[in-house]
Every structure is written in structure tokens, then in C-alpha cells.
Amino acid sequence: MFARITGVGGSLPGNPVTNLDLIRRGVDSDDDWIITRTGIRARHLATPETLSSDLALEASRKALRSAKVDADEIDLIILATSTPDCIFPGTACLLQAKLGNKSAMTFDIQAACSGFVYALTIAEKFIRTGNCKKALIAGAEILSRILDWNDRSTCVLFGDGAGAVVVEASETPGILSCVAHADGAYHSILTVPGMVYGDKIIGHPFLKMDGHAVFRFAVRALFDIAEKCCANAGVPPGDVDWFVPHQANLRIINSTAKRLGIGPERIVVTLDAHGNTSAASIPLALDVAVGDGRIQRGQKLLLEGVGGGMTWGAVLLEF
Ligand code: UT7
């Protein structure tokens, strides 16, 4: 029994906000710096009343429609987010209620930008062991709420959005290999080091990143895990049809792909239009490339992500 992606959906709030729009709003930056250092040209930002579960709902409905699955058939919902609607219940439960599903097992995953890869890895185990038949996996983020808009080294990098996939039990492949790791010793290089204590916020409630340290970590971890993930399935990385990486920095994406022997024409890049949407970036990129016809059934896809924790992971699958 394999676990196979049968539907994909995405959701982006509002209109694109370009680098120049941010500068006009008072961010001390320049368009050229952002494009050259990151590849980002625009991102979407949610309105104050929007919740992560709202974006997840729209992406999930699209994924369910494309899989031709009804919400009440879903028996597992995993939602990856660093920006939950509230402390508890889990945002996956709130998404479940909005979808009208009454029986699925639901939980959130907190693995920052690796959240979607972690969630897919877990869903695959549930399906392969026969514990569930139809899973909904979403990544949803409203990162704009945890950005310090006076910190130009981080606020220009991130965006809001959600992506979702339906994963079903199937006799044909399918997810071929999943690998995930974490090393908490690196917790301080990418973090939101704040907490709610009584009616106060203790610590710092905004995203802090040591960009150089994260860059160095990401380049090494992403190459290693992609090689390991492909080796487990006996597929040379250079043979994958599409590389769908976490969308954080075009320089990281290109150097990883080059070392893996994957040409630029086989990389799905959406960070120019979405920025870094953390746990949502991989399913959003999938949604774009499936929607425009680049990704076709039967092709091999390599998904991979790295994020706060530090966490990192990769999934190789036949679409
Ligand atoms: O999603 C999780 C994974 N996240 C990542 O993978 C992110 C990894 N890191 C990065 O992508 C890069 O390190 C950054 C894009 C964050 C930074 O790029 P960099 O090439 O490492 O730039 P830098 O930090 O070395 O900054 C160079 C200069 C500094 O000026 P001085 O001190 O050289 O005069 C910064 O003050 O760029 C300046 N700078 C800016 N200038 C204009 C920093 N942010 C900005 C900005 N606009 N937004």
C-alpha cells in the first residue's frame, strides 16, 4: 500500500505587495537588494481579520475538489503552522470544523518551515499502516503577524498563504521515501522567542533570524537530506522530474539543485511572487506547478524544506 497525493490546492490572501509597496509603507530597504539577495519580488499579506484556518480552508477545499473527495471522507487532518489561530484547540481542529468534518483525527505540527514535509511524512506512515485512508495535509501561515516591521533583515522575506494536499491509500506509488531530522542545538538561529504568560507576553514575540547561520545550515542540510531521501528509494537525484523546495532564498535553492544535478528548468520557484510562506511554501509551489500544467501525473517530485528548530526533511514521490 502506498500513500499518494490525489489533490492539491492553494490560497493567497489579497493582492501582491511588491518590494516597492513595502518601501512606500516605510520599510527601509531597496528593491534591488531584496531581489539580488533573495529572489523575492512580492508577497501576499493577510487582512487583520483573516486567520490561518481561513487560508487553510480555502486551500483545503481546492485540494478536496481536485481529488474529488468529500470533506466527510477525510479520516486524518494534519495542519503545519507556526501561526495558529489560538493556543488551543489546534488550528487543524478549527479547520476540521470549518470543513464540516466530524470524525477525522486532527492535530497541528510545529516544525516551522519544515512543517509540511514533516506532516506529509507522518501522514504517509498512517496510510501505509492502514490506520487511515484519506488524509488532508495543510500548511498555513500568517507570518506577517509575527514580523518586526522595523527589522528590514527579516520583514521583507516572508509572506502569508496556505497550501494543502489530499493523500490517499493507493496500490500504485505514491510517496517513495521520506526523511526528516531536527537539531535543537540550533534553536536560537531562527526563532520567535516569546510566550504568553498570564496576560503578558514574555520575551520577544517577533521572528529573529541569524541569516548567515541559517543560510550556511540550509545549504548543507538540504543537500544531505535530498541525497539520503533519493538513495533510500534508489533514485538518483538528477533523475527527478521536478524539484519543489521550500521557498526561502533563490541562492539556496539554485546551489542545492546544482549540487544535486537538477537543472534550473526542473525547479519550481514561487518565492518571487509569494516570498517565504514557511509551512505553506511547498504545497503552494505544488499548486502553482500542477495548476499551470508543468507537473504531470507519473512524474517524480523531490520536496524538501528546512526551518526553525532547526528542522529539515525531504519527500520523494511519484505524482
Ligand atoms: O525559511 C527558513 C529558512 N530561511 C532562510 O533560509 C534564510 C537564510 N538566509 C538568507 O536568506 C540571507 O542570509 C538573507 C537574505 C537573510 C540576508 O542575505 P545576506 O546576503 O546574508 O545579507 P547580509 O545579512 O550579509 O546583509 C548585508 C547588508 C547589511 O549591510 P552592511 O552591514 O553590509 O552595510 C545589511 O544591513 O545588507 C543590509 N540589509 C539590507 N539592505 C537593504 C539587510 N537587510 C536589508 C534589506 N534591504 N531588507
Short mmCIF file of all heavy atoms in Angstrom, two decimals, residues 176-246:
data_model
loop_
_atom_site.label_atom_id
_atom_site.label_comp_id
_atom_site.label_asym_id
_atom_site.label_seq_id
_atom_site.Cartn_x
_atom_site.Cartn_y
_atom_site.Cartn_z
N LEU A 176 7.60 7.63 -2.17
CA LEU A 176 8.60 6.59 -2.28
C LEU A 176 9.57 6.61 -1.10
O LEU A 176 10.12 5.58 -0.72
CB LEU A 176 9.40 6.76 -3.58
CG LEU A 176 8.58 6.80 -4.88
CD1 LEU A 176 9.46 7.21 -6.05
CD2 LEU A 176 7.95 5.44 -5.13
N SER A 177 9.80 7.79 -0.55
CA SER A 177 10.78 7.91 0.54
C SER A 177 10.56 9.21 1.29
O SER A 177 10.23 10.23 0.68
CB SER A 177 12.19 7.88 -0.09
OG SER A 177 13.17 8.27 0.83
N CYS A 178 10.70 9.14 2.62
CA CYS A 178 10.59 10.35 3.46
C CYS A 178 11.74 10.33 4.46
O CYS A 178 11.99 9.29 5.08
CB CYS A 178 9.33 10.35 4.33
SG CYS A 178 7.80 10.10 3.50
N VAL A 179 12.39 11.43 4.65
CA VAL A 179 13.45 11.53 5.67
C VAL A 179 13.27 12.88 6.39
O VAL A 179 13.05 13.90 5.73
CB VAL A 179 14.87 11.49 5.05
CG1 VAL A 179 15.92 11.41 6.14
CG2 VAL A 179 15.03 10.32 4.10
N ALA A 180 13.33 12.87 7.71
CA ALA A 180 13.21 14.13 8.45
C ALA A 180 14.16 14.11 9.65
O ALA A 180 14.38 13.06 10.25
CB ALA A 180 11.78 14.34 8.91
N HIS A 181 14.69 15.27 9.97
CA HIS A 181 15.62 15.40 11.11
C HIS A 181 15.38 16.72 11.83
O HIS A 181 14.77 17.65 11.27
CB HIS A 181 17.08 15.42 10.63
CG HIS A 181 17.55 14.13 10.05
ND1 HIS A 181 17.62 12.97 10.77
CD2 HIS A 181 17.97 13.84 8.80
CE1 HIS A 181 18.07 12.01 9.99
NE2 HIS A 181 18.29 12.50 8.79
N ALA A 182 15.94 16.81 13.05
CA ALA A 182 15.97 18.08 13.77
C ALA A 182 17.24 18.14 14.59
O ALA A 182 17.81 17.09 14.95
CB ALA A 182 14.76 18.22 14.68
N ASP A 183 17.71 19.34 14.86
CA ASP A 183 18.83 19.53 15.78
C ASP A 183 18.54 20.78 16.60
O ASP A 183 18.80 21.91 16.16
CB ASP A 183 20.15 19.66 15.01
CG ASP A 183 21.34 19.71 15.96
OD1 ASP A 183 21.12 19.87 17.18
OD2 ASP A 183 22.49 19.59 15.49
N GLY A 184 17.98 20.53 17.79
CA GLY A 184 17.57 21.63 18.67
C GLY A 184 18.71 22.48 19.19
O GLY A 184 18.47 23.58 19.72
N ALA A 185 19.94 22.02 19.01
CA ALA A 185 21.08 22.83 19.45
C ALA A 185 21.13 24.15 18.67
O ALA A 185 21.73 25.12 19.12
CB ALA A 185 22.38 22.05 19.26
N TYR A 186 20.48 24.18 17.51
CA TYR A 186 20.48 25.39 16.68
C TYR A 186 19.22 26.24 16.89
O TYR A 186 18.87 27.05 16.04
CB TYR A 186 20.57 25.00 15.20
CG TYR A 186 21.93 24.47 14.79
CD1 TYR A 186 22.22 23.11 14.87
CD2 TYR A 186 22.91 25.33 14.34
CE1 TYR A 186 23.46 22.62 14.50
CE2 TYR A 186 24.16 24.86 13.97
CZ TYR A 186 24.43 23.51 14.05
OH TYR A 186 25.66 23.03 13.69
N HIS A 187 18.52 26.04 18.02
CA HIS A 187 17.22 26.70 18.22
C HIS A 187 17.27 28.22 18.12
O HIS A 187 16.30 28.86 17.72
CB HIS A 187 16.62 26.28 19.56
CG HIS A 187 17.43 26.75 20.74
ND1 HIS A 187 17.20 27.95 21.35
CD2 HIS A 187 18.48 26.19 21.38
CE1 HIS A 187 18.06 28.10 22.34
NE2 HIS A 187 18.86 27.04 22.38
N SER A 188 18.43 28.80 18.47
CA SER A 188 18.45 30.27 18.58
C SER A 188 18.71 30.99 17.25
O SER A 188 18.58 32.21 17.19
CB SER A 188 19.49 30.71 19.61
OG SER A 188 20.76 30.30 19.16
N ILE A 189 19.04 30.27 16.17
CA ILE A 189 19.39 31.00 14.93
C ILE A 189 18.15 31.40 14.12
O ILE A 189 18.23 32.24 13.23
CB ILE A 189 20.41 30.23 14.05
CG1 ILE A 189 19.87 28.90 13.51
CG2 ILE A 189 21.71 30.01 14.81
CD1 ILE A 189 20.82 28.22 12.51
N LEU A 190 16.99 30.78 14.43
CA LEU A 190 15.74 31.15 13.75
C LEU A 190 14.62 30.85 14.75
O LEU A 190 14.33 29.69 15.03
CB LEU A 190 15.59 30.31 12.47
CG LEU A 190 14.33 30.52 11.63
CD1 LEU A 190 14.08 31.99 11.34
CD2 LEU A 190 14.44 29.76 10.31
N THR A 191 14.03 31.91 15.29
CA THR A 191 13.13 31.70 16.43
C THR A 191 12.18 32.88 16.64
O THR A 191 12.46 34.00 16.22
CB THR A 191 13.98 31.46 17.72
OG1 THR A 191 13.11 31.34 18.85
CG2 THR A 191 14.97 32.58 17.99
N VAL A 192 11.06 32.60 17.27
CA VAL A 192 10.20 33.65 17.82
C VAL A 192 10.22 33.40 19.33
O VAL A 192 9.42 32.62 19.85
CB VAL A 192 8.76 33.56 17.27
CG1 VAL A 192 7.89 34.70 17.84
CG2 VAL A 192 8.76 33.61 15.74
N PRO A 193 11.17 34.00 20.04
CA PRO A 193 11.43 33.59 21.43
C PRO A 193 10.52 34.29 22.44
O PRO A 193 10.98 34.90 23.39
CB PRO A 193 12.89 33.99 21.62
CG PRO A 193 13.08 35.17 20.72
CD PRO A 193 12.14 35.02 19.58
N GLY A 194 9.21 34.17 22.22
CA GLY A 194 8.26 34.79 23.15
C GLY A 194 7.20 33.79 23.59
O GLY A 194 7.02 32.75 22.97
N MET A 195 6.52 34.10 24.69
CA MET A 195 5.44 33.24 25.16
C MET A 195 4.38 34.08 25.89
O MET A 195 4.69 35.18 26.37
CB MET A 195 5.97 32.15 26.10
CG MET A 195 6.52 32.70 27.39
SD MET A 195 7.27 31.45 28.45
CE MET A 195 5.86 30.71 29.18
N VAL A 196 3.17 33.54 25.93
CA VAL A 196 2.12 34.22 26.70
C VAL A 196 2.21 33.69 28.13
O VAL A 196 2.24 32.47 28.35
CB VAL A 196 0.74 33.91 26.10
CG1 VAL A 196 -0.36 34.53 26.95
CG2 VAL A 196 0.66 34.42 24.67
N TYR A 197 2.30 34.60 29.08
CA TYR A 197 2.40 34.22 30.50
C TYR A 197 1.37 35.05 31.23
O TYR A 197 1.50 36.26 31.35
CB TYR A 197 3.81 34.52 31.00
CG TYR A 197 4.11 33.95 32.37
CD1 TYR A 197 4.91 32.81 32.51
CD2 TYR A 197 3.59 34.53 33.52
CE1 TYR A 197 5.18 32.28 33.75
CE2 TYR A 197 3.86 34.01 34.77
CZ TYR A 197 4.65 32.88 34.89
OH TYR A 197 4.92 32.35 36.11
N GLY A 198 0.29 34.38 31.69
CA GLY A 198 -0.82 35.15 32.25
C GLY A 198 -1.36 36.05 31.16
O GLY A 198 -1.61 35.61 30.03
N ASP A 199 -1.49 37.34 31.46
CA ASP A 199 -1.99 38.25 30.42
C ASP A 199 -0.87 39.06 29.79
O ASP A 199 -1.10 40.12 29.21
CB ASP A 199 -3.08 39.16 30.99
CG ASP A 199 -2.54 40.02 32.13
OD1 ASP A 199 -1.37 39.80 32.55
OD2 ASP A 199 -3.26 40.92 32.60
N LYS A 200 0.37 38.55 29.91
CA LYS A 200 1.51 39.30 29.35
C LYS A 200 2.26 38.46 28.32
O LYS A 200 2.16 37.23 28.33
CB LYS A 200 2.50 39.65 30.47
CG LYS A 200 1.95 40.59 31.50
CD LYS A 200 3.09 41.06 32.41
CE LYS A 200 2.59 42.06 33.43
NZ LYS A 200 1.59 41.47 34.35
N ILE A 201 3.03 39.16 27.48
CA ILE A 201 3.94 38.44 26.58
C ILE A 201 5.32 38.51 27.21
O ILE A 201 5.81 39.59 27.54
CB ILE A 201 3.95 39.07 25.18
CG1 ILE A 201 2.60 38.84 24.50
CG2 ILE A 201 5.08 38.49 24.32
CD1 ILE A 201 2.37 39.69 23.30
N ILE A 202 5.92 37.35 27.39
CA ILE A 202 7.27 37.28 27.95
C ILE A 202 8.23 37.03 26.79
O ILE A 202 7.95 36.19 25.93
CB ILE A 202 7.40 36.10 28.96
CG1 ILE A 202 6.32 36.18 30.02
CG2 ILE A 202 8.79 36.02 29.55
CD1 ILE A 202 6.54 37.21 31.09
N GLY A 203 9.35 37.73 26.79
CA GLY A 203 10.34 37.53 25.71
C GLY A 203 10.00 38.39 24.52
O GLY A 203 9.39 39.46 24.64
N HIS A 204 10.36 37.89 23.35
CA HIS A 204 10.27 38.68 22.11
C HIS A 204 9.26 38.00 21.19
O HIS A 204 9.49 36.87 20.76
CB HIS A 204 11.67 38.72 21.49
CG HIS A 204 11.78 39.54 20.26
ND1 HIS A 204 11.83 40.91 20.29
CD2 HIS A 204 11.84 39.20 18.95
CE1 HIS A 204 11.94 41.38 19.05
NE2 HIS A 204 11.94 40.35 18.23
N PRO A 205 8.14 38.65 20.88
CA PRO A 205 7.10 37.94 20.11
C PRO A 205 7.28 38.01 18.59
O PRO A 205 6.36 37.65 17.87
CB PRO A 205 5.82 38.67 20.54
CG PRO A 205 6.28 40.07 20.81
CD PRO A 205 7.69 39.99 21.30
N PHE A 206 8.44 38.46 18.13
CA PHE A 206 8.66 38.58 16.68
C PHE A 206 9.79 37.67 16.22
O PHE A 206 10.69 37.31 17.00
CB PHE A 206 8.99 40.03 16.31
CG PHE A 206 7.89 40.99 16.64
CD1 PHE A 206 8.10 42.03 17.53
CD2 PHE A 206 6.62 40.84 16.07
CE1 PHE A 206 7.08 42.91 17.83
CE2 PHE A 206 5.59 41.71 16.38
CZ PHE A 206 5.81 42.75 17.27
N LEU A 207 9.74 37.35 14.92
CA LEU A 207 10.73 36.45 14.33
C LEU A 207 12.13 37.07 14.37
O LEU A 207 12.32 38.23 13.98
CB LEU A 207 10.31 36.15 12.88
CG LEU A 207 11.11 35.11 12.12
CD1 LEU A 207 10.19 34.32 11.18
CD2 LEU A 207 12.24 35.75 11.33
N LYS A 208 13.10 36.27 14.84
CA LYS A 208 14.50 36.71 14.85
C LYS A 208 15.32 35.68 14.08
O LYS A 208 15.11 34.47 14.27
CB LYS A 208 15.04 36.76 16.29
CG LYS A 208 14.50 37.93 17.08
CD LYS A 208 14.99 37.89 18.50
CE LYS A 208 16.40 38.42 18.63
NZ LYS A 208 16.76 38.65 20.04
N MET A 209 16.19 36.14 13.23
CA MET A 209 16.98 35.18 12.43
C MET A 209 18.41 35.65 12.27
O MET A 209 18.65 36.82 11.96
CB MET A 209 16.34 35.01 11.05
CG MET A 209 17.12 34.07 10.15
SD MET A 209 16.24 33.58 8.67
CE MET A 209 16.34 35.08 7.71
N ASP A 210 19.34 34.73 12.49
CA ASP A 210 20.73 34.96 12.12
C ASP A 210 20.85 34.43 10.68
O ASP A 210 21.07 33.24 10.45
CB ASP A 210 21.65 34.19 13.08
CG ASP A 210 23.12 34.30 12.71
OD1 ASP A 210 23.42 34.70 11.56
OD2 ASP A 210 23.97 33.96 13.55
N GLY A 211 20.65 35.36 9.74
CA GLY A 211 20.55 34.99 8.31
C GLY A 211 21.73 34.18 7.81
O GLY A 211 21.56 33.18 7.11
N HIS A 212 22.95 34.60 8.20
CA HIS A 212 24.15 33.89 7.73
C HIS A 212 24.19 32.47 8.24
O HIS A 212 24.49 31.54 7.49
CB HIS A 212 25.42 34.62 8.21
CG HIS A 212 25.68 35.88 7.47
ND1 HIS A 212 26.55 35.96 6.42
CD2 HIS A 212 25.16 37.11 7.60
CE1 HIS A 212 26.55 37.19 5.94
NE2 HIS A 212 25.72 37.91 6.65
N ALA A 213 23.89 32.31 9.55
CA ALA A 213 23.94 30.96 10.15
C ALA A 213 22.88 30.05 9.52
O ALA A 213 23.15 28.88 9.22
CB ALA A 213 23.74 31.06 11.67
N VAL A 214 21.68 30.61 9.30
CA VAL A 214 20.61 29.80 8.70
C VAL A 214 20.97 29.43 7.26
O VAL A 214 20.78 28.30 6.83
CB VAL A 214 19.25 30.55 8.75
CG1 VAL A 214 18.17 29.80 7.98
CG2 VAL A 214 18.81 30.75 10.20
N PHE A 215 21.55 30.38 6.55
CA PHE A 215 21.96 30.14 5.17
C PHE A 215 22.95 28.97 5.10
O PHE A 215 22.77 28.02 4.33
CB PHE A 215 22.59 31.42 4.60
CG PHE A 215 22.72 31.44 3.11
CD1 PHE A 215 21.83 32.16 2.33
CD2 PHE A 215 23.74 30.74 2.47
CE1 PHE A 215 21.95 32.19 0.94
CE2 PHE A 215 23.87 30.75 1.10
CZ PHE A 215 22.98 31.48 0.33
N ARG A 216 23.98 29.06 5.96
CA ARG A 216 25.01 28.01 5.96
C ARG A 216 24.40 26.66 6.30
O ARG A 216 24.69 25.64 5.68
CB ARG A 216 26.10 28.35 6.99
CG ARG A 216 27.21 29.23 6.45
CD ARG A 216 28.44 29.20 7.34
NE ARG A 216 28.14 29.49 8.74
CZ ARG A 216 28.01 30.71 9.26
NH1 ARG A 216 28.19 31.76 8.49
NH2 ARG A 216 27.74 30.88 10.54
N PHE A 217 23.55 26.66 7.34
CA PHE A 217 22.91 25.42 7.78
C PHE A 217 22.07 24.83 6.65
O PHE A 217 22.12 23.64 6.35
CB PHE A 217 22.03 25.69 9.01
CG PHE A 217 21.50 24.45 9.65
CD1 PHE A 217 22.11 23.92 10.77
CD2 PHE A 217 20.40 23.78 9.12
CE1 PHE A 217 21.64 22.75 11.36
CE2 PHE A 217 19.92 22.62 9.69
CZ PHE A 217 20.54 22.11 10.81
N ALA A 218 21.26 25.70 6.01
CA ALA A 218 20.30 25.25 5.00
C ALA A 218 21.02 24.61 3.81
O ALA A 218 20.62 23.54 3.34
CB ALA A 218 19.45 26.43 4.54
N VAL A 219 22.08 25.24 3.34
CA VAL A 219 22.78 24.73 2.16
C VAL A 219 23.30 23.31 2.42
O VAL A 219 23.15 22.41 1.58
CB VAL A 219 23.92 25.69 1.76
CG1 VAL A 219 24.84 25.07 0.74
CG2 VAL A 219 23.33 26.99 1.21
N ARG A 220 23.86 23.10 3.60
CA ARG A 220 24.41 21.78 3.92
C ARG A 220 23.28 20.76 4.13
O ARG A 220 23.27 19.69 3.54
CB ARG A 220 25.28 21.88 5.19
CG ARG A 220 25.87 20.56 5.65
CD ARG A 220 26.81 20.73 6.84
NE ARG A 220 26.24 21.50 7.96
CZ ARG A 220 25.38 20.98 8.85
NH1 ARG A 220 24.97 19.75 8.75
NH2 ARG A 220 24.92 21.74 9.84
N ALA A 221 22.31 21.14 4.97
CA ALA A 221 21.25 20.18 5.36
C ALA A 221 20.40 19.77 4.15
O ALA A 221 20.04 18.60 4.01
CB ALA A 221 20.36 20.81 6.43
N LEU A 222 20.09 20.72 3.28
CA LEU A 222 19.20 20.41 2.16
C LEU A 222 19.85 19.47 1.16
O LEU A 222 19.20 18.58 0.62
CB LEU A 222 18.73 21.71 1.48
CG LEU A 222 17.77 22.54 2.33
CD1 LEU A 222 17.50 23.89 1.68
CD2 LEU A 222 16.46 21.80 2.57
N PHE A 223 21.15 19.66 0.94
CA PHE A 223 21.84 18.76 0.01
C PHE A 223 21.90 17.35 0.61
O PHE A 223 21.55 16.36 -0.04
CB PHE A 223 23.25 19.28 -0.30
CG PHE A 223 24.06 18.31 -1.11
CD1 PHE A 223 23.77 18.11 -2.46
CD2 PHE A 223 25.06 17.56 -0.53
CE1 PHE A 223 24.49 17.19 -3.21
CE2 PHE A 223 25.79 16.63 -1.27
CZ PHE A 223 25.50 16.46 -2.62
N ASP A 224 22.33 17.27 1.87
CA ASP A 224 22.49 15.95 2.51
C ASP A 224 21.18 15.18 2.53
O ASP A 224 21.14 13.99 2.22
CB ASP A 224 22.98 16.12 3.96
CG ASP A 224 24.44 16.57 4.02
OD1 ASP A 224 25.09 16.58 2.95
OD2 ASP A 224 24.90 16.95 5.12
N ILE A 225 20.10 15.86 2.91
CA ILE A 225 18.84 15.14 3.08
C ILE A 225 18.23 14.74 1.74
O ILE A 225 17.60 13.69 1.61
CB ILE A 225 17.85 15.92 3.97
CG1 ILE A 225 16.87 14.93 4.59
CG2 ILE A 225 17.12 17.02 3.22
CD1 ILE A 225 16.36 15.30 5.92
N ALA A 226 18.45 15.55 0.73
CA ALA A 226 17.94 15.19 -0.60
C ALA A 226 18.65 13.93 -1.09
O ALA A 226 18.02 13.01 -1.61
CB ALA A 226 18.16 16.34 -1.57
N GLU A 227 19.96 13.88 -0.89
CA GLU A 227 20.73 12.70 -1.32
C GLU A 227 20.25 11.46 -0.59
O GLU A 227 20.04 10.41 -1.19
CB GLU A 227 22.21 12.92 -0.99
CG GLU A 227 22.96 13.68 -2.04
CD GLU A 227 24.38 13.16 -2.18
OE1 GLU A 227 25.03 13.03 -1.12
OE2 GLU A 227 24.80 12.87 -3.32
N LYS A 228 20.06 11.60 0.74
CA LYS A 228 19.65 10.47 1.57
C LYS A 228 18.25 9.99 1.16
O LYS A 228 18.00 8.79 1.02
CB LYS A 228 19.64 10.95 3.03
CG LYS A 228 19.58 9.87 4.06
CD LYS A 228 20.00 10.50 5.38
CE LYS A 228 19.49 9.77 6.58
NZ LYS A 228 19.76 10.49 7.83
N CYS A 229 17.35 10.92 0.95
CA CYS A 229 15.96 10.60 0.61
C CYS A 229 15.91 9.85 -0.73
O CYS A 229 15.22 8.84 -0.87
CB CYS A 229 15.16 11.90 0.55
SG CYS A 229 13.42 11.67 0.23
N CYS A 230 16.67 10.34 -1.70
CA CYS A 230 16.69 9.70 -3.02
C CYS A 230 17.37 8.33 -2.94
O CYS A 230 16.90 7.37 -3.56
CB CYS A 230 17.40 10.59 -4.03
SG CYS A 230 16.43 12.06 -4.44
N ALA A 231 18.47 8.25 -2.17
CA ALA A 231 19.19 6.97 -2.06
C ALA A 231 18.28 5.90 -1.47
O ALA A 231 18.30 4.74 -1.89
CB ALA A 231 20.44 7.15 -1.20
N ASN A 232 17.45 6.26 -0.48
CA ASN A 232 16.53 5.28 0.13
C ASN A 232 15.60 4.65 -0.91
O ASN A 232 15.16 3.52 -0.74
CB ASN A 232 15.65 5.96 1.20
CG ASN A 232 16.43 6.24 2.46
OD1 ASN A 232 17.57 5.81 2.59
ND2 ASN A 232 15.82 6.98 3.39
N ALA A 233 15.28 5.42 -1.94
CA ALA A 233 14.35 4.91 -2.96
C ALA A 233 15.10 4.41 -4.20
O ALA A 233 14.48 3.98 -5.17
CB ALA A 233 13.38 6.02 -3.36
N GLY A 234 16.43 4.50 -4.17
CA GLY A 234 17.23 4.05 -5.32
C GLY A 234 17.04 4.93 -6.55
O GLY A 234 17.16 4.46 -7.68
N VAL A 235 16.74 6.21 -6.31
CA VAL A 235 16.52 7.14 -7.44
C VAL A 235 17.64 8.20 -7.40
O VAL A 235 17.75 8.93 -6.41
CB VAL A 235 15.14 7.84 -7.32
CG1 VAL A 235 14.97 8.91 -8.40
CG2 VAL A 235 14.01 6.82 -7.37
N PRO A 236 18.47 8.31 -8.44
CA PRO A 236 19.49 9.37 -8.42
C PRO A 236 18.80 10.74 -8.42
O PRO A 236 17.84 10.94 -9.19
CB PRO A 236 20.25 9.16 -9.74
CG PRO A 236 19.87 7.79 -10.21
CD PRO A 236 18.52 7.48 -9.65
N PRO A 237 19.25 11.68 -7.58
CA PRO A 237 18.58 12.99 -7.51
C PRO A 237 18.45 13.65 -8.87
O PRO A 237 17.46 14.31 -9.16
CB PRO A 237 19.48 13.81 -6.59
CG PRO A 237 20.30 12.83 -5.83
CD PRO A 237 20.38 11.58 -6.64
N GLY A 238 19.47 13.43 -9.73
CA GLY A 238 19.44 14.04 -11.06
C GLY A 238 18.32 13.51 -11.94
O GLY A 238 18.03 14.10 -12.99
N ASP A 239 17.69 12.41 -11.52
CA ASP A 239 16.60 11.82 -12.33
C ASP A 239 15.22 12.35 -11.98
O ASP A 239 14.23 11.96 -12.60
CB ASP A 239 16.57 10.29 -12.16
CG ASP A 239 17.70 9.61 -12.92
OD1 ASP A 239 18.51 10.34 -13.53
OD2 ASP A 239 17.77 8.37 -12.89
N VAL A 240 15.11 13.20 -10.95
CA VAL A 240 13.76 13.66 -10.59
C VAL A 240 13.26 14.64 -11.67
O VAL A 240 14.04 15.36 -12.29
CB VAL A 240 13.68 14.31 -9.17
CG1 VAL A 240 14.19 13.37 -8.11
CG2 VAL A 240 14.37 15.65 -9.12
N ASP A 241 11.96 14.60 -11.91
CA ASP A 241 11.38 15.48 -12.93
C ASP A 241 11.24 16.91 -12.41
O ASP A 241 11.44 17.86 -13.15
CB ASP A 241 10.01 14.95 -13.36
CG ASP A 241 10.12 13.60 -14.03
OD1 ASP A 241 10.71 13.55 -15.12
OD2 ASP A 241 9.67 12.59 -13.45
N TRP A 242 10.86 17.03 -11.11
CA TRP A 242 10.66 18.37 -10.54
C TRP A 242 11.20 18.43 -9.13
O TRP A 242 10.95 17.53 -8.32
CB TRP A 242 9.16 18.73 -10.53
CG TRP A 242 8.64 18.98 -11.90
CD1 TRP A 242 7.86 18.14 -12.63
CD2 TRP A 242 8.88 20.13 -12.72
NE1 TRP A 242 7.60 18.69 -13.85
CE2 TRP A 242 8.20 19.91 -13.94
CE3 TRP A 242 9.60 21.31 -12.54
CZ2 TRP A 242 8.23 20.84 -14.97
CZ3 TRP A 242 9.62 22.25 -13.57
CH2 TRP A 242 8.94 22.00 -14.77
N PHE A 243 11.92 19.49 -8.87
CA PHE A 243 12.42 19.80 -7.53
C PHE A 243 11.50 20.90 -6.99
O PHE A 243 11.37 21.97 -7.60
CB PHE A 243 13.87 20.30 -7.68
CG PHE A 243 14.56 20.66 -6.39
CD1 PHE A 243 14.48 19.86 -5.26
CD2 PHE A 243 15.36 21.81 -6.34
CE1 PHE A 243 15.15 20.20 -4.10
CE2 PHE A 243 16.04 22.15 -5.18
CZ PHE A 243 15.93 21.34 -4.06
N VAL A 244 10.82 20.60 -5.88
CA VAL A 244 9.86 21.56 -5.30
C VAL A 244 10.35 21.89 -3.88
O VAL A 244 9.92 21.28 -2.90
CB VAL A 244 8.42 20.99 -5.27
CG1 VAL A 244 7.42 22.09 -4.92
CG2 VAL A 244 8.06 20.33 -6.59
N PRO A 245 11.30 22.82 -3.77
CA PRO A 245 11.90 23.10 -2.47
C PRO A 245 11.11 24.14 -1.68
O PRO A 245 10.31 24.89 -2.25
CB PRO A 245 13.27 23.68 -2.85
CG PRO A 245 13.00 24.39 -4.15
CD PRO A 245 11.91 23.63 -4.85
N HIS A 246 11.38 24.19 -0.37
CA HIS A 246 10.91 25.29 0.45
C HIS A 246 11.45 26.59 -0.16
O HIS A 246 12.61 26.66 -0.58
CB HIS A 246 11.41 25.12 1.89
CG HIS A 246 11.18 26.33 2.74
ND1 HIS A 246 9.97 26.95 2.82
CD2 HIS A 246 12.04 27.05 3.52
CE1 HIS A 246 10.07 28.00 3.63
NE2 HIS A 246 11.31 28.08 4.06
#
